[in-house]
């Protein structure tokens, strides 16, 4: 990961990368968590310590069975008293590794201390427990690739591009002097071979430009070229209005494909829309219908879900209560946000101590999680005090 402290008040974070194909060995790994997370994390106020409340948004893939896995974006709010995470179902093919560019953003609201979360330039949620933004080196923006169970996973090269918003609402790159790198597996080489190694590269001059990282499964026969999209922009723009909430939609789709980190500066109406309406991408609006995966018959058992939740939340399986699938309407606990599910869902609860989905030593009282009955994908979860957040 890269850790950046802009050195001035930061009220927004932006990152973009392509939905690259992440693959898993088709072997039984038991109840072990085998997962990939490529994310942007914004910490608005670290004055009390590096593990201060933060917002994380990114792409997540997890092995769910011998031959099955889930893939797609989600966002999380992580605090010292708990956390919550929500799958993102909006966007163009968000759960498909079609090599399409997607954008990940969080922007502080105009009043108060809370932040909105946007995916592909559309709002998908808001925080509830973030701290006031302070000046100086008290806020941080990270971009990282986290891998659990590396020996079972192949992650091709992901090119992460990132910017932050200054206190006067200008987007800019972080100065290289304010960027640090942390890599916990050795660099892939003749000495350190896959699968237990990373390849990383920070492209910069005076400013952070791109953080490129991969986690190969096997030794590569030859270096691969740039990943190309597997879709047609004409198909993506078919039937779209010329403008939507003041944004030129043809220009937006072209920019997302070719130069997404400059869209806010180059697409007519986009920066104004993001700052006010925050629903700016007509092609990425949720359909309102069931997800593609919901068309299949339910094939995830209570035992599957119990094992997944026990491993993910570090709680004994016999300390979990598992409820059978409920209707999608039951998931609409936040009706002002994008509907996160067209799926029926298993609900898992526990009052036991848990770290939640945070990678720290902190533990919290209890959790609730909902999983798709059709794919086993995590739809939403909360732990600790954030289960009570409105």
């Amino acid at each position: 990961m890269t850790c950046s402290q802009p050195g001035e008040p930061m009220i927004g974070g932006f990152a973009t990368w392509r939905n690259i194909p992440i693959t898993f060995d088709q072997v039984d790994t038991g109840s072990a968590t085998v997962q990939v997370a490529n994310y942007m994390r914004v910490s608005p106020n670290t004055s009390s310590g590096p593990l201060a409340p933060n917002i994380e948004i990114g792409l997540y893939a997890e092995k769910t069975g011998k031959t099955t896995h889930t893939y797609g974006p989600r966002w999380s709010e992580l605090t010292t008293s708990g956390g919550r995470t929500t799958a993102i179902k909006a966007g163009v093919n968000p759960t498909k590794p079609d090599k399409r560019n997607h954008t990940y953003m969080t922007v502080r609201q105009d009043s108060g201390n809370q932040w909105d979360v946007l995916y592909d330039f559309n709002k998908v949620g808001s925080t509830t427990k973030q701290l006031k933004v302070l000046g100086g080196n008290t806020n941080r923006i990270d971009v990282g690739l986290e891998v659990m169970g590396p020996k079972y996973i192949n992650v091709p090269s992901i090119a992460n591009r990132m910017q932050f918003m200054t206190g006067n609402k200008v987007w800019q790159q972080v100065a290289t002097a304010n960027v640090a790198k942390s890599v916990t597996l050795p660099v892939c080489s003749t000495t350190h071979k896959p699968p237990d190694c990373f390849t990383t590269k920070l492209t910069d001059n005076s400013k952070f430009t791109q953080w490129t990282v991969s986690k190969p499964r096997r030794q590569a026969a030859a270096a691969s070229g740039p990943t190309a999209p597997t879709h047609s922009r004409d198909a993506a723009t078919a039937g779209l209005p010329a403008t939507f909430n003041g944004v030129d939609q043809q220009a937006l789709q072209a920019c997302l494909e070719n130069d997404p980190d400059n869209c806010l500066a180059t697409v007519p109406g986009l920066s104004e829309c993001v700052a006010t309406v925050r629903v700016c991408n007509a092609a990425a609006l949720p359909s309102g219908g069931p997800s593609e995966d919901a068309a299949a018959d339910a094939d995830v058992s209570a035992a599957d879900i119990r094992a997944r939740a026990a491993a993910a939340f570090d709680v004994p399986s016999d300390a979990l209560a598992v409820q059978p699938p409920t209707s999608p309407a039951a998931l609409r606990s936040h009706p002002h946000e994008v509907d996160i599910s067209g799926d029926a869902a298993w609900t898992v609860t526990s009052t036991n101590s848990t770290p939640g989905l945070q990678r720290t030593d902190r533990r919290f009282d209890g959790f609730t999680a909902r999983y798709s009955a059709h794919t086993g994908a995590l739809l939403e979860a909360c732990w600790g005090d954030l289960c009570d957040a409105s």
Side-chain angles (χ1 to χ4, degrees):
M1 65 186 295
T2 64
C3 311
S4 302
Q5 289 184 303
E8 60 182 293
M10 175 181 63
I11 60 171
F14 172 86
T16 181
W17 58 83
R18 293 186 184 275
N19 267 14
I20 56 91
I22 296 168
T23 55
F24 300 85
D25 287 2
Q26 295 193 2
V27 297
D28 186 359
T29 54
S31 61
T33 299
V34 181
Q35 177 180 281
V36 175
N38 193 78
Y39 59 85
M40 175 185 72
R41 182 186 299 137
V42 172
S43 302
N45 181 340
T46 62
S47 60
S48 61
L51 300 178
N54 60 73
I55 309 114
E56 183 175 302
I57 178 171
L59 176 67
Y60 299 81
E62 183 174 358
K63 183 174 171 61
T64 57
K66 184 175 180 179
T67 62
T68 57
H69 72 279
T70 62
Y71 181 101
R74 68 181 190 225
W75 76 275
S76 302
E77 178 176 16
L78 309 174
T79 77
T80 55
S81 61
R84 62 186 175 114
T85 189
T86 304
I88 298 170
K89 294 294 187 179
V92 179
N93 289 348
T95 61
K96 304 296 182 184
D98 60 2
K99 301 177 186 175
R100 180 187 295 272
N101 268 316
H102 291 277
T103 65
Y104 306 79
M105 183 186 298
T106 185
V107 180
R108 196 184 68 172
Q109 296 173 354
D110 286 338
S111 60
N113 301 318
Q114 300 314 307
W115 296 57
D116 290 332
V117 180
L118 296 87
Y119 178 73
D120 284 352
F121 298 113
N122 287 343
K123 179 182 171 182
V124 294
S126 301
T127 67
T128 59
K129 300 285 187 179
Q130 293 303 304
L131 302 176
K132 180 180 180 180
V133 172
L134 301 176
N137 287 326
T138 58
N139 41 86
R140 199 177 76 227
I141 181 168
D142 307 332
V143 176
L145 172 69
E146 181 181 82
V147 177
M148 302 174 70
K151 67 181 180 179
Y152 303 112
I153 298 169
N154 185 76
V155 184
S157 181
I158 303 177
N160 299 281
R161 301 176 74 87
M162 179 268 289
Q163 299 175 55
F164 76 99
M165 183 190 281
T166 66
N168 58 357
K169 297 188 176 182
V170 174
W171 290 97
Q172 64 182 45
Q173 295 170 319
V174 181
T176 302
N178 295 327
V179 179
K181 295 177 289 184
S182 173
V183 183
T184 57
L185 286 178
V187 175
C188 294
S189 65
T190 55
T191 305
H192 299 288
K193 298 181 179 180
D196 295 313
C197 61
F198 283 126
T199 62
T200 65
K201 180 181 180 182
L202 176 61
T203 303
D204 64 341
N205 187 359
S206 61
K207 301 287 183 69
F208 177 114
T209 302
Q210 183 170 290
W211 173 243
T212 307
V213 60
S214 70
K215 206 298 300 172
R217 173 66 183 84
R218 295 176 178 86
Q219 196 76 22
S224 59
T227 58
T230 59
H231 60 277
S232 165
R233 181 168 64 86
D234 292 340
T237 58
L240 292 182
T243 60
F244 179 75
N245 284 339
V247 179
D248 183 324
Q249 294 297 302
Q250 294 283 339
L252 175 57
Q253 299 309 316
C255 185
L256 278 168
E257 181 50 51
N258 300 308
D259 192 22
D261 47 327
N262 286 319
C263 290
L264 289 160
T266 61
V267 175
L270 182 60
S271 61
E272 294 85 355
C273 179
V274 165
T276 54
V277 182
R278 296 185 182 171
V279 180
C280 311
N281 185 351
L285 293 172
S287 65
S291 68
E292 290 181 32
D293 296 327
D297 293 332
D299 57 2
V300 181
S301 69
D304 292 334
I305 295 300
R306 184 180 294 273
R308 284 200 65 200
F313 291 90
D314 191 26
V315 171
S317 60
D318 59 2
L320 303 178
V322 181
Q323 299 176 6
T326 55
S327 68
L331 300 178
R332 300 292 300 271
S333 58
H334 302 287
H336 60 286
E337 297 177 8
V338 172
D339 184 4
I340 56 91
S341 175
D343 288 341
W346 291 94
T347 301
V348 184
T349 59
S350 178
T351 57
N352 271 43
S353 170
T354 174
L357 300 181
Q358 298 176 227
R359 277 79 64 185
T360 69
D361 294 332
R362 292 192 180 112
R363 296 189 74 89
F364 310 94
D365 293 333
F367 77 91
T368 297
R370 295 184 176 92
Y371 294 87
S372 166
H374 302 278
T375 66
L378 179 66
L379 299 175
E380 62 181 0
C382 62
W383 53 96
D385 289 353
L386 264 72
C387 284
D388 301 323
S390 59

